[in-house]
Amino acid sequence: MLKSPLFIKILVLIGSVILLLLPLSMLKGLINERSQYRDDVENSLEQSTSGPQKLLGPLIALPITEMISVQEGGKEVMKPSSFIHYYLPDELVIEGDQKVETRHIGIYDGQIWNAALNFRAVFNTDKFNQWRKPGFEIGQPFIALAVGDSRGIVKVDKVNVNDYALPAIEPGTGLASLKQGVHVDIPDSLNQEPQLNLTFSLNLMGTGTFSVVPLGRMSQLSLTSNWPHPGFLGDFLPQQREVGDSGFKAQWQSSWFANNINTTFEEGADLYREINSLPAFSVTVETPADQYQLIDRAVKYALLLIALTFMAFFIFETLTSTLMHPMQYLLVGMSLVMFYLVLLALSEHIGFNLAWLSASLVCALINGIYLQAVMKGWKRSLVFSAGLLTLDAVLWQLLRSQESALLLGTAVLLVVLTTVMFLTRHIDWYALSKRAPRLKPQVAQGDERERLWK
């Protein structure tokens, strides 16, 4: 059996499939390389503008100096010890309108967003009085707002507290542990107010993720955007959201009962260390599954596509007694690999869907012309070309339907198996596996030197 023509044929076909894995692996490397170029463009935009933005604030920072007793040289002396006490808003409401722009660098795209944000916060300042006692000295309280990348601060309107316009806003948060942001001092005339109602507007630019730490006892974020591909990832999903072709609307809400943020802001808290671990309302300006991701997923099905094509040729040989050379199998397999290369090259210029259609038609045309000569007729060639187009259409649907990809893929394999079983149900495989009889040596009439087999 090991020397039967059928067994040798199967081994040769398996070897051809394995051989085609080499150009497929090279193709995957090329896809990763082109994808890296696209990522470099996004990194360039981030370096030229600003990166992801995470807002922390507004909050009130109250500098406090306490006189403490320490032992020096066997004597008890009083020395000052300074720290900052943080006051978080009882209510924090942020409304934003985000505009996303696509920037082109060569053949690659990247997104930059600009958000117009309106803040409203309510602070209870009755607790200021708890520090007005002997041994403590209160400094100038100020309102601070931290951002992830201060380069994205486009404009900050005047801050109003209890309908009073505060002095000019200063750059930086005024906090040693968290520097990027803005701050403004609270005048002494407002320090005695039991409640501070704060309002201001901020224009913020960034790339990638926009997030807000829900500092308030009750916090709410309402965001409207023109980007139709948001990624609502993070610690809180929006309670309400609407996503359409023209953009999205989303609203988040949380409280200290859900996030325990108030326990983080204690005396001497290291906000630089804490800000990255704090929960936040987050939305990402995501690029939809681009051509590189889709092509990389498609290449994973390439081996299945080649195997099904080879199986179709093998069944054709078996049913028609038409012999096909392994080189012909290999050439058709290489044309299927070229399909993905054409798809990659075209998708960078005309988009994935149109590139898929174009590559499918080109591949079907090349194979149709070639197989016409191999199969001795246009009818058989057109049938195989139509089959390739059908497989391409099914594969395209598999890529687009992630939720039902397993179901659709299983159905395709079941149909293929059923078709093969039906077409080969009358084949005598033992007869096909028998070795062909060896020719006996023939001797030509005449001289011994004319013998055909020696």
Side-chain angles (χ1 to χ4, degrees):
M1 178 180 177
L2 296 180
K3 296 183 179 180
S4 67
L6 179 61
F7 183 75
I8 295 175
K9 184 78 170 183
I10 293 176
L11 284 182
V12 172
L13 295 184
I14 293 176
S16 299
V17 173
I18 295 175
L19 186 61
L20 290 173
L21 291 177
L22 178 60
L24 283 176
S25 63
M26 296 174 63
L27 182 60
K28 289 180 68 69
L30 180 60
I31 294 172
N32 293 332
E33 181 182 345
R34 305 297 291 183
S35 177
Q36 184 62 46
Y37 291 156
R38 189 273 321 278
D39 294 340
D40 291 342
V41 168
E42 294 182 352
N43 294 334
S44 298
L45 288 176
E46 180 178 330
Q47 294 173 4
S48 301
T49 54
S50 58
Q53 298 286 10
K54 188 171 186 177
L55 294 181
L56 177 66
L59 54 80
I60 294 179
L62 180 63
I64 298 174
T65 301
E66 179 184 5
M67 301 302 295
I68 60 176
S69 175
V70 296
Q71 293 289 333
E72 282 190 2
K75 296 182 180 180
E76 184 177 338
V77 297
M78 304 298 292
K79 282 196 171 184
S81 175
S82 299
F83 61 90
I84 293 180
H85 188 84
Y86 301 103
Y87 288 90
L88 306 185
D90 286 344
E91 182 181 357
L92 175 62
V93 178
I94 303 175
E95 297 179 352
D97 184 13
Q98 184 187 65
K99 301 297 182 184
V100 181
E101 300 178 4
T102 299
R103 301 291 178 88
H104 304 279
I105 300 180
I107 62 174
Y108 301 102
D109 298 333
Q111 284 72 41
I112 298 175
W113 54 261
N114 192 309
L117 306 171
N118 295 313
F119 292 78
R120 181 169 63 86
V122 178
F123 294 90
N124 185 351
T125 57
D126 285 341
K127 295 182 180 179
F128 277 18
N129 296 324
Q130 67 177 327
W131 303 108
R132 294 187 172 94
K133 54 187 178 181
F136 292 88
E137 180 180 348
I138 297 177
Q140 180 70 47
F142 58 93
I143 299 170
L145 173 67
V147 299
D149 190 340
S150 59
R151 294 179 301 163
I153 300 176
V154 179
K155 179 182 178 183
V156 184
D157 286 342
K158 292 182 178 180
V159 180
N160 294 310
V161 177
N162 294 354
D163 297 327
Y164 177 82
L166 297 187
I169 299 174
E170 298 295 332
T173 62
L175 304 172
S177 59
L178 199 64
K179 299 183 180 300
Q180 298 197 73
V182 294
H183 75 281
V184 58
D185 292 335
I186 301 177
D188 294 337
S189 59
L190 296 175
N191 288 344
Q192 303 300 323
E193 296 286 342
Q195 180 174 288
L196 298 181
N197 296 292
L198 169 69
T199 60
F200 69 98
S201 298
L202 169 68
N203 280 9
L204 187 67
M205 182 173 61
T207 57
T209 302
F210 168 71
S211 57
V212 175
V213 177
L215 288 181
R217 183 183 296 271
M218 291 295 298
S219 301
Q220 179 178 307
L221 169 64
S222 300
L223 187 64
T224 302
S225 176
N226 64 341
W227 188 247
H229 309 290
F232 297 111
L233 300 177
D235 303 284
F236 303 95
L237 289 176
Q239 292 187 333
Q240 299 178 10
R241 64 176 184 176
E242 298 178 8
V243 182
D245 295 336
S246 59
F248 72 88
K249 295 180 180 179
Q251 185 178 84
W252 292 262
Q253 189 170 337
S254 183
S255 68
W256 288 350
F257 297 104
N259 53 47
N260 293 319
I261 283 182
N262 58 310
T263 61
T264 302
F265 291 83
E266 300 174 349
E267 291 83 357
D270 186 355
L271 297 186
Y272 181 79
R273 182 190 62 194
E274 300 287 353
I275 187 172
N276 292 324
S277 61
L278 289 175
F281 305 144
S282 300
V283 60
T284 302
V285 176
E286 288 191 340
T287 302
D290 60 15
Q291 66 267 21
Y292 302 112
Q293 295 172 328
L294 292 172
I295 295 172
D296 184 66
R297 287 169 51 196
V299 171
K300 296 177 181 178
Y301 293 98
L303 194 60
L304 176 62
L305 181 63
I306 294 172
L308 291 177
T309 303
F310 281 13
M311 181 183 296
F313 286 155
F314 181 77
I315 298 300
F316 170 76
E317 283 191 77
T318 305
L319 295 177
T320 63
S321 299
T322 301
L323 296 180
M324 294 183 63
H325 195 275
M327 182 57 69
Q328 294 170 327
Y329 278 86
L330 197 59
L331 289 174
V332 173
M334 285 300 300
S335 72
L336 298 179
V337 175
M338 282 296 299
F339 163 79
Y340 296 99
L341 184 59
V342 174
L343 174 63
L344 174 62
L346 290 179
S347 64
E348 294 183 335
H349 299 276
I350 62 177
F352 179 79
N353 291 334
L354 190 56
W356 186 279
L357 178 61
S358 302
S360 298
L361 293 176
V362 169
C363 183
L365 177 62
I366 293 175
N367 282 288
I369 296 175
Y370 178 70
L371 293 177
Q372 185 274 334
V374 174
M375 296 181 173
K376 312 301 182 184
W378 281 108
K379 183 177 180 180
R380 295 172 176 175
S381 173
L382 291 177
V383 169
F384 271 93
S385 298
L388 286 176
L389 290 174
T390 302
L391 286 176
D392 289 341
V394 172
L395 180 56
W396 183 86
Q397 188 62 33
L398 281 172
L399 297 177
R400 288 297 183 180
S401 305
Q402 293 187 8
E403 294 82 3
S404 58
L406 178 60
L407 178 61
L408 181 59
T410 303
V412 170
L413 292 177
L414 182 61
V415 170
V416 170
L417 179 60
T418 303
T419 303
V420 172
M421 294 175 67
F422 178 79
L423 293 176
T424 61
R425 66 190 186 281
H426 297 306
I427 294 178
D428 185 357
W429 296 101
Y430 281 106
L432 291 177
S433 62
K434 291 179 180 179
R435 295 182 59 188
R438 295 183 60 184
L439 295 176
K440 294 182 178 180
Q442 297 181 6
V443 181
Q445 297 293 332
D447 189 79
E448 179 72 14
R449 290 174 298 178
E450 298 177 5
R451 186 189 300 270
L452 296 178
W453 297 86
K454 296 183 180 180

